[in-house]
Structure formats: C-alpha cells, structure tokens
Amino acid sequence: MRSWFKMRRKAFIGPLGDDIPSIFPIVLGVVLFMATITYANGAYNARNEELTLRKTALALSYAVTEKGVFSIDEFTALCEKSLVPYATHSGTKFAVVLKRHCGKVNLFNSNPFYSNFHGEGADNVGLCTNMDFSEDVRERAWAAVNSSDFEAAQPYFPSDAVVLNYPIAVACPEENSATNGVGMVNVIVWKR
C-alpha cells in the first residue's frame, strides 16, 4: 500500500503535460525571430527609399547643371523634355527653382550659395515641377518660394525632402543681356 501512495503523490501527467513548459520558450523564440526579421525588412526598405530619392535628386541636378549657363527658354525646354518625364517615371515629386542674383554679391556678409528659397536681390525666374496644381495653388506656392518665410513653403515642400543647391551662370541684369551673372538652382525631390 505504501508504494501506491508514493506513486500517487508524484502525479504523472503524461507526455503532453511534460512538454507544455518547454513550448513557451519555443513560441517566444519564434515570435522574437519574426519580429526581428520584420524590423530589419522595414529598416532596409526605408533606407532604399531614401537612397532612391537621393539618386533621383542627383540625376535631376546633373541634367540641370550639365550645361552651366541657362536662359529661360532653355530651362523650360529642359523641364518639359527631360526633368518631368524622369521624375514621373521614378515615382517622385520634384521642384527645380532657377534664381538670379544679379546685384552685388558680398560673400563675406551673405552667402548666396547657402540660401534655399531666398537671398539678397534674388529673382526667381524659373520653376519646373511635376506637381498637379490648380492655378490658385501654383500662385500661392510660387509666392511661398519667393518669400523668406520657410513656414509658408512647408505645405508645398515636405520637411523630409532632399534639397540640393548649385551655382549656375544666368543672363544678368536682364534675360536677354549679353553678360552673365551668378544664379542658383534649387533641386527639391520628395516622395508622396
């Protein structure tokens, strides 16, 4: 009788009952592995999207700065033939702003190569974009680009956009002048 009670107290629960405690660490390990793979895939895709934006911005800026001297007619033709189709094909939105700094440029007091949308004596002479604007929205965006108020331009150009600035030669002081002056090209690319 004594051996029967001894065996009864140990409470044998069977092969499945013995394995239940070891199932929890296995399930936790599989969930942790899947979460790690999902996180790594998301980080990889985000980095690839950022690199695609930078590649598109560099390609657009190369097309714009390839010649080094622009007139408004050449800028408009380049916009329609090259820039808009390339950016549309790559699935990005962009804006290229051509500016003239025809006044005196003092590199010690103000640096025109640093300014994104404005500068002393800056004159925006060209805008190329593939954004679908109504005429009213286009005018407000153009006014925001011309102003020195970055908050006004924020709804039109997102904060995560890639912005590249390049110097270029432009006709100064007028569009049909024989002399060239300092100009600026701002290339802005973003994903929507």
Side-chain angles (χ1 to χ4, degrees):
M1 281 266 184
R2 192 169 190 172
S3 64
W4 183 77
F5 283 116
K6 208 179 210 184
M7 197 164 83
R8 186 86 171 136
R9 275 191 285 156
K10 290 195 179 193
F12 177 73
I13 55 175
L16 185 61
D18 289 340
D19 290 339
I20 286 177
S22 64
I23 290 175
F24 293 116
I26 292 171
V27 169
L28 182 65
V30 168
V31 168
L32 185 62
F33 175 75
M34 295 304 282
T36 303
I37 295 295
T38 303
Y39 174 76
N41 190 31
Y44 176 77
N45 289 338
R47 183 68 179 153
N48 273 348
E49 186 173 311
E50 180 184 346
L51 288 175
T52 301
L53 277 178
R54 289 183 181 271
K55 178 184 169 196
T56 303
L58 285 173
L60 290 173
S61 62
Y62 177 76
V64 170
T65 60
E66 184 176 21
K67 188 174 174 190
V69 179
F70 267 120
S71 70
I72 297 302
D73 295 334
E74 292 171 334
F75 182 73
T76 305
L78 178 71
C79 177
E80 293 171 1
K81 292 179 184 174
S82 297
L83 303 180
V84 172
Y86 182 80
T88 304
H89 177 71
S90 67
T92 58
K93 298 288 185 186
F94 81 101
V96 175
V97 180
L98 177 63
K99 296 180 176 191
R100 275 197 306 234
H101 295 274
C102 292
K104 277 188 172 179
V105 177
N106 185 351
L107 293 179
F108 297 108
N109 292 336
S110 67
N111 188 351
F113 304 111
Y114 177 72
S115 63
N116 276 340
F117 301 110
H118 68 288
E120 294 288 323
D123 179 23
N124 289 341
V125 292
L127 172 65
C128 177
T129 184
N130 66 347
M131 296 190 318
D132 296 327
F133 281 139
S134 68
E135 202 55 43
D136 178 47
V137 174
R138 181 180 290 275
E139 290 302 316
R140 283 186 286 150
W142 188 248
V145 168
N146 279 328
S147 74
S148 61
D149 185 14
F150 287 112
E151 279 78 31
Q154 193 69 11
Y156 305 105
F157 307 111
S159 61
D160 60 342
V162 176
V163 179
L164 302 173
N165 304 315
Y166 297 99
I168 197 164
V170 292
C172 277
E174 299 297 324
E175 177 56 35
N176 50 8
S177 297
T179 58
N180 287 334
V182 177
M184 238 2 230
V185 173
N186 304 110
V187 180
I188 309 155
V189 179
W190 67 96
K191 190 96 168 172
R192 280 244 173 140

